[in-house]
Amino acid sequence: MLTAEQVLASQKASVETLFGLTNKAFEGVEKLVELNLTATKAALAEAAGTTQSLLSVKDAQELLALQASLFQPLAEKTAAYSRHLYDIAAGTGAEFGKTFETQAADAQKKFLAVVDNAAKNAPAGSETAVAVFKSAVAAGNNALESVQKAVKQATEVAEANFNAVATTAVNASKAPTARAKR
């Protein structure tokens, strides 16, 4: 049975975990706001420069060349922004994942301790039932580990796909620029 001290310690640990996760979430939001402010400042400065360049254009050929020269940097900046955004989200998500894995492992240990204690105090003749229950618990733990591995693999695949798409987008933006210069 749980004592009052154990219950209080468990509640204290839960509150500390909650506040830790809240701090991580705010750190992620803070990074996101900082990224957006930086991107907005850069976009405003670039808009001013582009407007000045457009106002100084004298003919259609010069306008096409200006347009072509603006496309590739825009694609690269968009890809860089997306990478930063993804890094912030992935970092914050990883922190949450670590916390949940730690909490799950701790809960699993406590549950196994309760099962072992119950098995030790089980009446004679219940060994088969205890063995079946322990087997079910082990199967559940194995399933949980499999799910965690699958989530990690899916995350790695998603990150690889994101990087491939970003690289393809940047490379695709280089092709029209090269053709426009001919």
Side-chain angles (χ1 to χ4, degrees), residues 56-69:
S56 66
V57 169
K58 294 181 177 80
D59 60 19
Q61 185 71 20
E62 198 176 329
L63 180 62
L64 289 175
L66 177 64
Q67 183 182 15
S69 70

Side-chain angles (χ1 to χ4, degrees), residues 75-127:
E76 290 172 353
K77 289 173 186 164
T78 302
Y81 175 82
S82 296
R83 281 188 196 111
H84 280 94
L85 192 60
Y86 179 81
D87 289 344
I88 290 169
T92 302
E95 290 293 329
F96 275 77
K98 287 179 194 173
T99 300
F100 288 126
E101 283 179 15
T102 302
Q103 292 294 318
D106 187 44
Q108 186 178 13
K109 287 178 189 174
K110 288 178 182 177
F111 183 71
L112 289 175
V114 168
V115 169
D116 286 340
N117 189 29
K120 289 177 188 174
N121 296 322
S126 62
E127 292 82 15

